Amino acid sequence: MKVVISGAGIAGLTLAGRLGALGHTVIVVEKAAGPRPEGYMIDFFGPGYDAAERMGLLPRFHELGYRFAEAGYHDEHGRRRAGLDFERFAKSLDGRMTSIMRPDVEHILRTALPAGVQLRFGAAVTHVDNRADGVSVRLSDGTDLDADLLVGADGIHSTVRGLVFGEESQYFRYLGFHTSAFVFEAPEIHRLVAGRFCLTDTVGRQVGCYGLRDGRVAAFTVHRTPDPTRPADPRAAVRAAYGTLGWIVPEVLDHCPPDLYYDQVAQIEMPRWSSGRVVLVGDACGAVSLLAGQGASLGMGGAFVLAENLTDLAGYERRWRPVVLDKQRVARSGARWFLPATELRLRARRVAMRLAKLPWVDRRIATSLVGKPTALVGD
């Protein structure tokens, strides 16, 4: 088959690599001018880990990945109040986990693409003609492409979804948080957080930092807000939302760049993922949100399942939808613990983290995060 994939993110690149290896003709189009450097650290485990292993990419994931000792929560004076032992958590997953920057995941997938896969940056989808005998796609550079299938792998704000399935507002479920991520140079902060994932132990808002091997520091933020509107000036919004926090936060905010990653924390819920010769994958049809902690993993896993069910789109959705719905449900139910809204819940989370060190409890927590084993291929 000839397949056009819109989106050169994790899901799109995974699908392109798998389809190329299976002998299909693949063209990946991406509206960005080039690979996007912004992104955050992800704890990579679950179905995406399995897909990376099946594709022979796992050694590269571990080469570029990180093994942090813990995720430590610190008060406004820098005192450690609670923490999660990453090594213990990884052990409960039989070691099948690594932490890795999202741009590094895309780099691994992009450089592993088969020679025949075309990758075109600076080319956004502007029109789709979805017919019974095929699909025609017009790009922003004026190019027209004919294919057997168009795949929208273009993220939570999918252009393909908007053109074929309708306005985003029909499917967008805002979860009450905004998030951002950026990377900066600050030797003192790097020395402080090296080898650890350090977060503020705070109510309603949180800043986290971790040291990268090149000497830079990666930061991410998340805060509660009832307003889903993305601000016109994200940097100003970040500085306003976290400016009164203590510890290292003021210095972190001093390094906040104007071109940081910023978005709402939300999910995408759709009654169907395909229409004629168009199908969606990853966040475009089933974003689980930052709260689920497995967006990249599910993007890779879903793309792998789609590649194996390319001529049976209903089968792809039948196999993968229950996985996505389960992770979305878990994310919504766990939102109050992910970022406590009250001091009482903050204290309760500290107690829960202490209990996580007890025998068998850590494995139960890991199981609740990963879920039941997911078959990527099979009957």
Side-chain angles (χ1 to χ4, degrees), residues 333-362:
S333 65
R336 59 179 179 172
W337 304 113
F338 178 85
L339 186 59
T342 66
E343 185 67 31
L344 182 60
R345 285 183 177 169
L346 184 68
R347 294 175 182 175
R349 187 178 66 178
R350 293 172 189 162
V351 173
M353 289 182 185
R354 297 189 189 102
L355 291 176
K357 298 178 181 180
L358 296 176
W360 302 108
V361 176
D362 55 355

mmCIF file of all heavy atoms in Angstrom, residues 333-362:
data_model
loop_
_atom_site.group_PDB
_atom_site.id
_atom_site.type_symbol
_atom_site.label_atom_id
_atom_site.label_comp_id
_atom_site.label_asym_id
_atom_site.label_seq_id
_atom_site.Cartn_x
_atom_site.Cartn_y
_atom_site.Cartn_z
ATOM 1 N N SER A 333 -8.898 9.325 37.209
ATOM 2 C CA SER A 333 -9.115 8.973 38.614
ATOM 3 C C SER A 333 -7.913 9.323 39.480
ATOM 4 O O SER A 333 -8.052 9.554 40.688
ATOM 5 C CB SER A 333 -9.434 7.474 38.739
ATOM 6 O OG SER A 333 -8.325 6.686 38.348
ATOM 7 N N GLY A 334 -6.723 9.380 38.874
ATOM 8 C CA GLY A 334 -5.522 9.667 39.646
ATOM 9 C C GLY A 334 -5.108 11.124 39.666
ATOM 10 O O GLY A 334 -4.082 11.474 40.263
ATOM 11 N N ALA A 335 -5.908 11.996 39.037
ATOM 12 C CA ALA A 335 -5.536 13.407 38.926
ATOM 13 C C ALA A 335 -5.353 14.068 40.285
ATOM 14 O O ALA A 335 -4.460 14.898 40.478
ATOM 15 C CB ALA A 335 -6.589 14.150 38.110
ATOM 16 N N ARG A 336 -6.190 13.704 41.253
ATOM 17 C CA ARG A 336 -6.120 14.370 42.564
ATOM 18 C C ARG A 336 -4.841 14.032 43.308
ATOM 19 O O ARG A 336 -4.396 14.780 44.183
ATOM 20 C CB ARG A 336 -7.329 14.004 43.408
ATOM 21 C CG ARG A 336 -7.488 12.519 43.666
ATOM 22 C CD ARG A 336 -8.694 12.245 44.537
ATOM 23 N NE ARG A 336 -8.880 10.823 44.774
ATOM 24 C CZ ARG A 336 -9.772 10.329 45.625
ATOM 25 N NH1 ARG A 336 -10.544 11.153 46.327
ATOM 26 N NH2 ARG A 336 -9.888 9.032 45.784
ATOM 27 N N TRP A 337 -4.232 12.868 42.971
ATOM 28 C CA TRP A 337 -2.975 12.474 43.612
ATOM 29 C C TRP A 337 -1.768 12.947 42.815
ATOM 30 O O TRP A 337 -0.706 13.182 43.373
ATOM 31 C CB TRP A 337 -2.924 10.959 43.788
ATOM 32 C CG TRP A 337 -4.084 10.427 44.559
ATOM 33 C CD1 TRP A 337 -5.091 9.629 44.103
ATOM 34 C CD2 TRP A 337 -4.385 10.682 45.940
ATOM 35 N NE1 TRP A 337 -5.989 9.373 45.099
ATOM 36 C CE2 TRP A 337 -5.590 9.999 46.240
ATOM 37 C CE3 TRP A 337 -3.759 11.419 46.942
ATOM 38 C CZ2 TRP A 337 -6.165 10.039 47.504
ATOM 39 C CZ3 TRP A 337 -4.350 11.455 48.201
ATOM 40 C CH2 TRP A 337 -5.518 10.772 48.483
ATOM 41 N N PHE A 338 -1.940 13.069 41.499
ATOM 42 C CA PHE A 338 -0.841 13.545 40.663
ATOM 43 C C PHE A 338 -0.407 14.945 41.088
ATOM 44 O O PHE A 338 0.780 15.231 41.219
ATOM 45 C CB PHE A 338 -1.278 13.550 39.191
ATOM 46 C CG PHE A 338 -0.238 14.069 38.247
ATOM 47 C CD1 PHE A 338 0.743 13.239 37.752
ATOM 48 C CD2 PHE A 338 -0.239 15.399 37.848
ATOM 49 C CE1 PHE A 338 1.705 13.715 36.874
ATOM 50 C CE2 PHE A 338 0.714 15.893 36.985
ATOM 51 C CZ PHE A 338 1.694 15.034 36.496
ATOM 52 N N LEU A 339 -1.379 15.810 41.324
ATOM 53 C CA LEU A 339 -1.101 17.166 41.798
ATOM 54 C C LEU A 339 -2.184 17.542 42.802
ATOM 55 O O LEU A 339 -3.248 18.038 42.428
ATOM 56 C CB LEU A 339 -1.076 18.167 40.641
ATOM 57 C CG LEU A 339 -0.664 19.588 41.012
ATOM 58 C CD1 LEU A 339 0.727 19.605 41.626
ATOM 59 C CD2 LEU A 339 -0.705 20.499 39.784
ATOM 60 N N PRO A 340 -1.941 17.304 44.091
ATOM 61 C CA PRO A 340 -2.960 17.542 45.115
ATOM 62 C C PRO A 340 -3.470 18.985 45.113
ATOM 63 O O PRO A 340 -2.703 19.933 44.948
ATOM 64 C CB PRO A 340 -2.219 17.221 46.416
ATOM 65 C CG PRO A 340 -1.141 16.261 46.012
ATOM 66 C CD PRO A 340 -0.707 16.723 44.653
ATOM 67 N N ALA A 341 -4.786 19.111 45.319
ATOM 68 C CA ALA A 341 -5.411 20.436 45.332
ATOM 69 C C ALA A 341 -5.491 21.019 46.730
ATOM 70 O O ALA A 341 -5.785 22.213 46.882
ATOM 71 C CB ALA A 341 -6.815 20.350 44.730
ATOM 72 N N THR A 342 -5.230 20.204 47.761
ATOM 73 C CA THR A 342 -5.296 20.678 49.141
ATOM 74 C C THR A 342 -4.095 20.163 49.926
ATOM 75 O O THR A 342 -3.448 19.181 49.545
ATOM 76 C CB THR A 342 -6.577 20.181 49.834
ATOM 77 O OG1 THR A 342 -6.520 18.744 49.960
ATOM 78 C CG2 THR A 342 -7.819 20.566 49.038
ATOM 79 N N GLU A 343 -3.826 20.818 51.035
ATOM 80 C CA GLU A 343 -2.723 20.400 51.896
ATOM 81 C C GLU A 343 -2.977 19.000 52.454
ATOM 82 O O GLU A 343 -2.037 18.203 52.612
ATOM 83 C CB GLU A 343 -2.568 21.397 53.042
ATOM 84 C CG GLU A 343 -1.381 21.132 53.946
ATOM 85 C CD GLU A 343 -0.045 21.346 53.261
ATOM 86 O OE1 GLU A 343 0.022 22.205 52.353
ATOM 87 O OE2 GLU A 343 0.930 20.655 53.644
ATOM 88 N N LEU A 344 -4.229 18.679 52.739
ATOM 89 C CA LEU A 344 -4.558 17.358 53.264
ATOM 90 C C LEU A 344 -4.211 16.261 52.268
ATOM 91 O O LEU A 344 -3.629 15.232 52.634
ATOM 92 C CB LEU A 344 -6.047 17.300 53.614
ATOM 93 C CG LEU A 344 -6.549 15.974 54.221
ATOM 94 C CD1 LEU A 344 -5.819 15.669 55.522
ATOM 95 C CD2 LEU A 344 -8.059 16.038 54.443
ATOM 96 N N ARG A 345 -4.545 16.475 51.010
ATOM 97 C CA ARG A 345 -4.222 15.466 49.997
ATOM 98 C C ARG A 345 -2.718 15.397 49.744
ATOM 99 O O ARG A 345 -2.187 14.342 49.416
ATOM 100 C CB ARG A 345 -4.963 15.771 48.701
ATOM 101 C CG ARG A 345 -6.440 15.414 48.776
ATOM 102 C CD ARG A 345 -7.145 15.642 47.468
ATOM 103 N NE ARG A 345 -8.536 15.230 47.550
ATOM 104 C CZ ARG A 345 -9.453 15.503 46.638
ATOM 105 N NH1 ARG A 345 -9.114 16.192 45.557
ATOM 106 N NH2 ARG A 345 -10.699 15.099 46.781
ATOM 107 N N LEU A 346 -2.036 16.518 49.893
ATOM 108 C CA LEU A 346 -0.585 16.517 49.759
ATOM 109 C C LEU A 346 0.042 15.614 50.825
ATOM 110 O O LEU A 346 0.930 14.806 50.537
ATOM 111 C CB LEU A 346 -0.044 17.936 49.880
ATOM 112 C CG LEU A 346 1.463 18.117 49.660
ATOM 113 C CD1 LEU A 346 1.828 17.843 48.210
ATOM 114 C CD2 LEU A 346 1.895 19.523 50.052
ATOM 115 N N ARG A 347 -0.446 15.736 52.040
ATOM 116 C CA ARG A 347 0.058 14.889 53.125
ATOM 117 C C ARG A 347 -0.288 13.429 52.894
ATOM 118 O O ARG A 347 0.521 12.532 53.165
ATOM 119 C CB ARG A 347 -0.506 15.362 54.455
ATOM 120 C CG ARG A 347 -0.019 16.752 54.869
ATOM 121 C CD ARG A 347 -0.710 17.227 56.136
ATOM 122 N NE ARG A 347 -0.277 18.575 56.500
ATOM 123 C CZ ARG A 347 -0.795 19.271 57.499
ATOM 124 N NH1 ARG A 347 -1.771 18.733 58.244
ATOM 125 N NH2 ARG A 347 -0.354 20.483 57.774
ATOM 126 N N ALA A 348 -1.492 13.186 52.358
ATOM 127 C CA ALA A 348 -1.899 11.812 52.068
ATOM 128 C C ALA A 348 -0.996 11.197 50.997
ATOM 129 O O ALA A 348 -0.676 10.002 51.057
ATOM 130 C CB ALA A 348 -3.356 11.785 51.609
ATOM 131 N N ARG A 349 -0.575 11.995 50.027
ATOM 132 C CA ARG A 349 0.337 11.477 48.999
ATOM 133 C C ARG A 349 1.684 11.098 49.595
ATOM 134 O O ARG A 349 2.293 10.096 49.210
ATOM 135 C CB ARG A 349 0.527 12.517 47.880
ATOM 136 C CG ARG A 349 1.325 11.974 46.702
ATOM 137 C CD ARG A 349 1.474 12.978 45.580
ATOM 138 N NE ARG A 349 2.290 14.126 45.970
ATOM 139 C CZ ARG A 349 2.598 15.115 45.140
ATOM 140 N NH1 ARG A 349 2.117 15.121 43.909
ATOM 141 N NH2 ARG A 349 3.345 16.119 45.553
ATOM 142 N N ARG A 350 2.158 11.878 50.540
ATOM 143 C CA ARG A 350 3.414 11.535 51.210
ATOM 144 C C ARG A 350 3.306 10.180 51.899
ATOM 145 O O ARG A 350 4.228 9.353 51.825
ATOM 146 C CB ARG A 350 3.778 12.609 52.230
ATOM 147 C CG ARG A 350 4.131 13.960 51.639
ATOM 148 C CD ARG A 350 4.279 14.989 52.748
ATOM 149 N NE ARG A 350 4.418 16.337 52.242
ATOM 150 C CZ ARG A 350 4.224 17.426 52.972
ATOM 151 N NH1 ARG A 350 3.855 17.313 54.251
ATOM 152 N NH2 ARG A 350 4.381 18.627 52.447
ATOM 153 N N VAL A 351 2.187 9.951 52.575
ATOM 154 C CA VAL A 351 1.973 8.665 53.248
ATOM 155 C C VAL A 351 1.950 7.533 52.228
ATOM 156 O O VAL A 351 2.549 6.468 52.439
ATOM 157 C CB VAL A 351 0.658 8.684 54.054
ATOM 158 C CG1 VAL A 351 0.348 7.299 54.613
ATOM 159 C CG2 VAL A 351 0.744 9.711 55.174
ATOM 160 N N ALA A 352 1.271 7.757 51.094
ATOM 161 C CA ALA A 352 1.186 6.735 50.058
ATOM 162 C C ALA A 352 2.569 6.378 49.513
ATOM 163 O O ALA A 352 2.857 5.217 49.227
ATOM 164 C CB ALA A 352 0.280 7.205 48.930
ATOM 165 N N MET A 353 3.431 7.375 49.388
ATOM 166 C CA MET A 353 4.778 7.109 48.892
ATOM 167 C C MET A 353 5.586 6.285 49.889
ATOM 168 O O MET A 353 6.406 5.446 49.499
ATOM 169 C CB MET A 353 5.490 8.431 48.590
ATOM 170 C CG MET A 353 4.941 9.151 47.383
ATOM 171 S SD MET A 353 5.836 10.680 47.041
ATOM 172 C CE MET A 353 4.850 11.323 45.692
ATOM 173 N N ARG A 354 5.366 6.513 51.167
ATOM 174 C CA ARG A 354 6.052 5.697 52.173
ATOM 175 C C ARG A 354 5.559 4.254 52.115
ATOM 176 O O ARG A 354 6.338 3.310 52.227
ATOM 177 C CB ARG A 354 5.833 6.273 53.565
ATOM 178 C CG ARG A 354 6.425 7.672 53.761
ATOM 179 C CD ARG A 354 6.365 8.103 55.219
ATOM 180 N NE ARG A 354 6.737 9.506 55.358
ATOM 181 C CZ ARG A 354 5.873 10.489 55.520
ATOM 182 N NH1 ARG A 354 4.573 10.217 55.588
ATOM 183 N NH2 ARG A 354 6.282 11.741 55.638
ATOM 184 N N LEU A 355 4.256 4.086 51.916
ATOM 185 C CA LEU A 355 3.692 2.738 51.829
ATOM 186 C C LEU A 355 4.189 1.998 50.589
ATOM 187 O O LEU A 355 4.248 0.769 50.582
ATOM 188 C CB LEU A 355 2.164 2.818 51.790
ATOM 189 C CG LEU A 355 1.476 3.284 53.077
ATOM 190 C CD1 LEU A 355 -0.025 3.403 52.855
ATOM 191 C CD2 LEU A 355 1.772 2.324 54.218
ATOM 192 N N ALA A 356 4.534 2.757 49.546
ATOM 193 C CA ALA A 356 4.992 2.133 48.308
ATOM 194 C C ALA A 356 6.286 1.345 48.500
ATOM 195 O O ALA A 356 6.650 0.514 47.658
ATOM 196 C CB ALA A 356 5.200 3.193 47.227
ATOM 197 N N LYS A 357 6.994 1.582 49.602
ATOM 198 C CA LYS A 357 8.239 0.872 49.863
ATOM 199 C C LYS A 357 8.008 -0.492 50.509
ATOM 200 O O LYS A 357 8.939 -1.290 50.640
ATOM 201 C CB LYS A 357 9.134 1.720 50.770
ATOM 202 C CG LYS A 357 9.542 3.047 50.153
ATOM 203 C CD LYS A 357 10.397 3.862 51.109
ATOM 204 C CE LYS A 357 10.785 5.203 50.501
ATOM 205 N NZ LYS A 357 11.616 6.022 51.418
ATOM 206 N N LEU A 358 6.768 -0.769 50.914
ATOM 207 C CA LEU A 358 6.480 -2.045 51.555
ATOM 208 C C LEU A 358 6.490 -3.179 50.532
ATOM 209 O O LEU A 358 6.192 -2.963 49.348
ATOM 210 C CB LEU A 358 5.113 -1.989 52.244
ATOM 211 C CG LEU A 358 4.975 -0.990 53.397
ATOM 212 C CD1 LEU A 358 3.537 -0.990 53.904
ATOM 213 C CD2 LEU A 358 5.941 -1.325 54.517
ATOM 214 N N PRO A 359 6.841 -4.393 50.950
ATOM 215 C CA PRO A 359 6.854 -5.539 50.033
ATOM 216 C C PRO A 359 5.500 -5.714 49.346
ATOM 217 O O PRO A 359 4.451 -5.582 49.969
ATOM 218 C CB PRO A 359 7.166 -6.718 50.965
ATOM 219 C CG PRO A 359 7.898 -6.107 52.117
ATOM 220 C CD PRO A 359 7.275 -4.751 52.309
ATOM 221 N N TRP A 360 5.542 -5.995 48.050
ATOM 222 C CA TRP A 360 4.391 -6.252 47.187
ATOM 223 C C TRP A 360 3.633 -4.986 46.804
ATOM 224 O O TRP A 360 2.988 -4.970 45.749
ATOM 225 C CB TRP A 360 3.406 -7.257 47.810
ATOM 226 C CG TRP A 360 4.040 -8.574 48.127
ATOM 227 C CD1 TRP A 360 4.354 -9.079 49.357
ATOM 228 C CD2 TRP A 360 4.483 -9.543 47.172
ATOM 229 N NE1 TRP A 360 4.958 -10.305 49.239
ATOM 230 C CE2 TRP A 360 5.040 -10.620 47.899
ATOM 231 C CE3 TRP A 360 4.448 -9.614 45.785
ATOM 232 C CZ2 TRP A 360 5.569 -11.745 47.278
ATOM 233 C CZ3 TRP A 360 4.967 -10.735 45.167
ATOM 234 C CH2 TRP A 360 5.519 -11.784 45.898
ATOM 235 N N VAL A 361 3.691 -3.946 47.617
ATOM 236 C CA VAL A 361 2.951 -2.744 47.267
ATOM 237 C C VAL A 361 3.523 -2.100 46.018
ATOM 238 O O VAL A 361 2.790 -1.638 45.136
ATOM 239 C CB VAL A 361 2.950 -1.737 48.438
ATOM 240 C CG1 VAL A 361 2.244 -0.441 48.023
ATOM 241 C CG2 VAL A 361 2.265 -2.345 49.649
ATOM 242 N N ASP A 362 4.852 -2.087 45.900
ATOM 243 C CA ASP A 362 5.475 -1.472 44.731
ATOM 244 C C ASP A 362 5.066 -2.185 43.447
ATOM 245 O O ASP A 362 4.833 -1.562 42.418
ATOM 246 C CB ASP A 362 7.004 -1.430 44.881
ATOM 247 C CG ASP A 362 7.614 -2.798 45.159
ATOM 248 O OD1 ASP A 362 6.852 -3.762 45.337
ATOM 249 O OD2 ASP A 362 8.848 -2.881 45.202
#
